[in-house]
Amino acid sequence: MTSEISAIIKERRSFYPHEFIKGEIPKKDIDSILENANWAPNHGMTEPWRFFVFSGKGLQSSHVIAIIMQRGNNKKIPVLEEVEAVACAVQNMALTVTDLGYGAYWSTGGMVKFKEAKEFFGLREEDQLLGLFYIGKVVTTKKDSKRGAITDKVTWVNE
Ligand SMILES: Cc1cc2nc3c(=O)[nH]c(=O)nc-3n(C[C@H](O)[C@H](O)[C@H](O)COP(=O)(O)O)c2cc1C
């Protein structure tokens, strides 16, 4: 493991639209963020992540990406595992955002749970809108946070 990946994992923080500074992120960087999303692990190679990318002057963010789980045809794969694969894809995006020096956060609030939102994206009954990923320019990617000790969350088994 390189120290670089550990540093990026620990540096990643949620940054909210009110913290974004003006300026549009170049398309090539958004392409890199999406490309890395595409390399997430997924059970049965269903690749269930789908994205709608919004940009434009009307937004408080540089880009807003709608995160969608498109249920694959292999019904042996549980729905939860499709959702988990999309979450892995979103983490890939978040880490890439940090590496590129931008800020982002995953929102599951607001209209995300409305059935009208699902209709807006033309989703089928079995698909899910999992949230919106807001990305913007930030003054710094550094922000304090804390976690409880990992030792409180791990049970070692050595029989
Ligand atoms: C699946 C998921 C959904 C989230 N939804 C929201 C949300 O709706 N609103 C919000 O303010 N933050 C949301 N967050 C961001 C968390 O609040 C944030 O990750 C947490 O406070 C830890 O901060 P950090 O990301 O800076 O480490 C979400 C995070 C995840 C992983």
Side-chain angles (χ1 to χ4, degrees):
M1 183 167 66
T2 65
S3 54
E4 198 180 356
I5 186 73
S6 292
I8 293 166
I9 287 168
K10 289 179 181 164
E11 187 176 331
R12 183 216 55 78
R13 292 275 75 76
S14 294
F15 281 90
Y16 301 93
H18 72 266
E19 298 175 282
F20 295 154
I21 55 173
K22 278 197 192 327
E24 184 158 322
I25 294 171
K27 180 168 183 301
K28 71 169 175 45
D29 287 346
I30 301 296
D31 286 339
S32 299
I33 292 162
L34 294 166
E35 175 64 20
N36 287 352
N38 202 31
W39 284 93
N42 59 108
H43 194 175
M45 298 305 285
T46 57
E47 303 180 35
W49 44 84
R50 295 291 182 276
F51 304 108
F52 283 76
V53 183
F54 296 89
S55 63
K57 297 214 183 314
L59 301 174
Q60 203 181 352
S61 313
S62 171
H63 291 76
V64 180
I65 301 180
I67 305 160
I68 286 152
M69 183 283 288
Q70 182 175 287
R71 180 82 168 118
N73 293 328
N74 185 352
K75 299 298 184 253
K76 283 189 193 149
I77 308 296
V79 171
L80 180 59
E81 295 188 17
E82 304 275 44
V83 172
E84 288 163 343
V86 180
C88 290
V90 176
Q91 179 71 346
N92 281 1
M93 294 204 295
L95 295 176
T96 310
V97 163
T98 304
D99 190 37
L100 291 169
Y102 303 126
Y105 99 106
W106 181 353
S107 168
T108 47
M111 59 76 170
V112 167
K113 302 278 179 337
F114 293 3
K115 81 169 174 24
E116 287 84 354
K118 209 170 158 175
E119 285 164 11
F120 176 83
F121 291 107
L123 304 192
R124 302 165 304 172
E125 178 66 26
E126 61 266 42
D127 304 331
Q128 292 180 31
L129 175 62
L130 296 181
L132 297 173
F133 191 72
Y134 294 83
I135 314 177
K137 290 191 168 179
V138 286
V139 177
T140 171
T141 58
K142 306 282 187 297
K143 193 197 265 195
D144 284 342
S145 190
K146 61 178 171 31
R147 298 291 190 269
I150 185 63
T151 47
D152 294 340
K153 299 160 187 162
V154 177
T155 302
W156 290 85
V157 181
N158 182 9
E159 291 182 25

